[in-house]
Amino acid sequence: MNAGGLNQGMSGNISVRCGTRMLITPTATPYDEMTAVDVASMTLGDTAGGWTGPKRPSSEWRMHRDILSGRPEFGAVVHAHPISCTALTMMRRGIPACHYMVATFGGEDVRCAGYATFGTAELSAKVLLALQDRSACLIANHGMIACGRDLSQAMWRATELEALARQYITCLAVGRPTLLSTVEIAEAQHQFDTYRPV
Ligand code: 13P
């Protein structure tokens, strides 16, 4: 994530479903120093936040747990603070249907969830709302979150979302984008249904 420009320092966190548990990156640990043994394990059904591991789990464990337990289609969640997505969230703006890639996130836009303090149940609830029928959202004055059936799909979406945010911001510097229609986005979604190498 750091190498790809998605993250810096200790910002962001990643979780992966593992049966009835989730594996999640440790809190307050620079990515450069993180190794596999640092990853924490938590029970998805445990609302109290019990965990095992050498380090405490990410402060955003509620958000990850609520997504993985509420959205069974997802097996991985990537949260980051990439520059372009985060700049939009400072303006409290989502991303409209300015490019067909919006369709890969499940609909006609990528919403921006409301603001709440990081790590809180309130933030988790706002993110879940913005993620309704979507696989990604922005988070006000904070960053973005992208989900997928597995880690590679979640990472692909995270990378594409940041590219889309950058394209949208570049476009706004010139003028107003022409938005795609509901039908055009639905057609792009249909194309994505069979978009795979084999
Ligand atoms: P953690 O270091 O606890 O994962 O938190 C980083 C972050 O980005 C909080 O939103």
Side-chain angles (χ1 to χ4, degrees), residues 44 61-71 121 124-125 128:
L44 281 171
W61 63 265
R62 281 184 190 80
M63 192 165 76
H64 289 264
R65 193 232 19 227
D66 292 350
I67 294 170
L68 290 175
S69 52
R71 300 285 296 268
S124 174
L128 252 79

Side-chain angles (χ1 to χ4, degrees), residues 10-13 26-28 58-60 79 81 118 142:
M10 300 183 280
S11 295
N13 22 76
T27 190
S58 168
S59 56
E60 300 287 17
H79 165 54
H81 302 178
F118 79 92
H142 188 154

